[in-house]
Amino acid sequence: MKKVVLAYSGGLDTSCAITWLKDRGWDVVAYIGDVGQGEDFAAIEKRALRTGASKVYVGDLKKEFLSDFILPTLQAHASYEGKYLLATALTRPLIAKHLVEAAHREKADAVAHGCTGKGNDQVRFEVTSRILDPKLQIVAPVREWEFKSREEEIDFAKAKGIPLNVTKKKVYSIDKNLWGISIECGVLEDPSVEPPKDAYQMTVAVEDAPDKPTYLEIGFEKGVPVKVNGKSCEMEALVAHLHNAAGKNGVGRVDMVENRLVGIKSREVYEFPAATCLYTAHRELEALVFDRELFHFKEALSAKYGELVYYGLWYSELKNALDAFVKETQKKVTGAVRLKLHKGSCVVVGRTSPYSLYREDLATYTEKDKFNQKLADGFIRLWGLPFQK
Ligand code: ARG
């Protein structure tokens, strides 16, 4: 019997996918990746088995997600189209890598996922799988099957006795992990309409945020966030702390129209409370400790890094090379940044570092000034010389 390892979430699509694959002669092994979506994995595991999976793996990927995917992306300040902080996009190569590993352990012929044919996630899964093992077959049931609507799919599930905990009316399509959340579908498909309050899961509306700001100090050690308000903290707990502090101040909401890889524009709503704080603070520390050329050069790489992640090219040579560059730059990214979270905004209000290049004696306009203003005249003449007619 042919064997396939399916990336399983416990939802309607991947549950129907188990049955659909079995109907086509596959022995289905389910792989559940815990990337901090905060679900009841024991219940999901049971559902997979009751639906007909011959075996289930639950992989706790949270640590690896943080250290090998989130951290380098944060240090690169990578985003897509300047707004999307890539939370969903980052999990796909991670899950795909573990799918391939599970396929090898299981001596399976194929891997499968529950992505539709219209999104970016299918690209990320499949490109990663082919990079890591071009011999593995890839099956994409949701792209192939004949259901025209969610209702039809639910009817199929009922007819096949698939255990579900879904309703016919699902308002949004949500993808959550420990770094943030992507919200699509329903009324959000009309880009002219403001997202209703219930679309957001992690942040309050600006008008409901407290009048009093929250101050927060984030400490970094060689580019890694290690402290909140002076207290050492593992990154997972630190992210959870920031989600809470930023979320209650309405910080981290994104509403955008983005260009998908498959050619369509889509309206996307996201929440990245912790990431918004960490990107802001980390960049500010670099502004303090990097010389001008390094700071500007690295800024120029962020968009490229973001594109590579978005396009599913995590395991590409360019991404590896950019990682090496970014890693090299992090040696002096040590210090603390103070943030003020208030009514949807996250602003820097203070920064310190033992590697600070800021010199008050040069910057000051008081009598402490050590800057020799007389040198400016010659500097300007020579600097502008090539452009003079
Ligand atoms: N547009 C985002 C991306 O391409 C979010 C995708 C959300 N995925 C999902 N399965 N709901 O990364």
Side-chain angles (χ1 to χ4, degrees):
M1 204 178 194
K2 301 176 297 176
K3 196 189 259 191
V4 61
V5 182
L6 167 72
Y8 184 70
S9 72
L12 178 64
D13 285 342
T14 52
S15 295
C16 288
I18 292 181
T19 305
W20 188 92
L21 286 163
K22 286 191 64 176
D23 286 353
R24 278 153 190 79
W26 291 94
D27 172 10
V28 182
V29 173
Y31 180 86
I32 305 164
D34 176 1
V35 287
Q37 59 271 56
E39 303 228 32
D40 180 350
F41 293 102
I44 295 176
E45 184 175 354
K46 243 191 242 150
R47 188 172 313 139
L49 290 169
R50 276 171 48 214
T51 309
S54 61
K55 192 168 179 182
V56 183
Y57 287 95
V58 182
D60 183 352
L61 310 183
K62 296 196 289 294
K63 286 239 147 44
E64 189 182 356
F65 185 31
L66 278 163
S67 62
D68 296 1
F69 289 78
I70 289 173
L71 186 61
T73 305
L74 161 67
Q75 291 176 338
H77 308 158
S79 65
Y80 184 63
E81 298 186 337
K83 288 173 95 172
Y84 173 37
L85 301 190
L86 302 163
T88 294
L90 281 173
T91 59
R92 276 27 185 182
L94 168 64
I95 296 168
K97 171 187 168 219
H98 285 272
L99 269 189
V100 169
E101 284 172 9
H104 290 163
R105 269 198 307 278
E106 287 293 318
K107 302 199 178 2
D109 308 278
V111 291
H113 60 73
C115 308
T116 73
K118 290 177 71 170
N120 301 309
D121 290 329
Q122 54 173 347
V123 182
R124 298 167 184 147
F125 271 119
E126 295 180 27
V127 166
T128 304
S129 173
R130 288 209 180 92
I131 288 174
L132 298 178
D133 182 355
K135 286 200 269 314
L136 272 177
Q137 221 182 302
I138 297 168
V139 196
V142 178
R143 207 160 60 194
E144 283 180 37
W145 65 34
E146 52 291 337
F147 311 125
K148 297 223 159 40
S149 66
R150 187 174 166 81
E151 287 71 23
E152 250 183 59
E153 204 181 329
I154 291 176
D155 292 339
F156 169 83
K158 283 194 177 140
K160 292 282 190 175
I162 298 173
L164 293 173
N165 62 350
V166 297
T167 52
K168 285 210 178 172
K169 266 203 261 61
K170 189 173 128 202
V171 193
Y172 306 109
S173 157
I174 290 176
D175 182 75
K176 187 172 185 215
N177 63 56
L178 63 82
W179 197 225
I181 189 165
S182 307
I183 309 145
E184 304 171 309
C185 301
V187 285
L188 303 176
E189 286 179 357
D190 180 347
S192 73
V193 170
E194 180 177 359
K197 268 194 178 172
D198 72 351
Y200 291 102
Q201 324 280 315
M202 308 175 75
T203 57
V204 303
V206 166
E207 59 270 27
D208 299 329
D211 292 328
K212 246 184 70 199
T214 303
Y215 286 89
L216 205 65
E217 189 185 88
I218 304 175
F220 292 88
E221 187 78 45
K222 295 194 169 80
V224 182
V226 291
K227 282 185 187 172
V228 184
N229 297 330
K231 271 210 346 236
S232 295
C233 201
E234 287 279 318
M235 200 167 153
E236 192 179 339
L238 184 140
V239 167
H241 182 96
L242 295 180
H243 275 326
N244 180 43
K248 69 174 195 240
N249 284 289
V251 168
R253 289 187 173 188
V254 174
D255 176 350
M256 70 187 284
V257 171
E258 80 189 28
N259 290 294
R260 282 193 192 167
L261 198 44
V262 293
I264 50 181
K265 286 190 190 294
S266 64
R267 197 280 186 87
E268 306 278 341
V269 171
Y270 299 110
E271 292 169 288
F272 312 113
T276 302
C277 298
L278 287 168
Y279 271 61
T280 305
H282 187 275
R283 183 173 183 277
E284 189 67 15
L285 198 52
E286 290 190 347
L288 189 65
V289 304
F290 283 2
D291 66 65
R292 181 184 63 209
E293 294 311 305
L294 179 58
F295 188 67
H296 291 181
F297 192 80
K298 184 167 175 287
E299 287 273 289
L301 300 183
S302 299
K304 189 72 216 172
Y305 197 108
E307 273 176 17
L308 293 175
V309 175
Y310 191 85
Y311 295 165
L313 301 176
W314 183 262
Y315 292 104
S316 63
E317 287 191 28
L318 178 55
K319 215 280 287 165
N320 284 344
L322 292 181
D323 275 334
F325 172 82
V326 171
K327 192 160 183 223
E328 170 67 23
T329 63
Q330 296 303 293
K331 292 178 186 154
K332 293 183 176 172
V333 186
T334 293
V337 177
R338 217 145 54 83
L339 298 174
K340 181 179 182 176
L341 310 174
H342 187 228
K343 293 269 182 204
S345 81
C346 166
V347 293
V348 176
V349 292
R351 69 291 270 160
T352 57
S353 168
Y355 301 107
S356 171
L357 296 179
Y358 179 83
R359 291 212 13 213
E360 197 175 349
D361 61 342
L362 295 182
T364 184
Y365 285 94
T366 68
E367 68 282 355
K368 283 191 264 167
D369 190 9
K370 294 258 172 53
F371 188 92
N372 185 350
Q373 299 200 27
K374 301 224 165 48
L375 295 177
D377 175 45
F379 165 72
I380 296 165
R381 284 171 192 277
L382 296 186
W383 189 79
L385 191 57
F387 312 104
Q388 253 171 261
K389 292 260 153 53

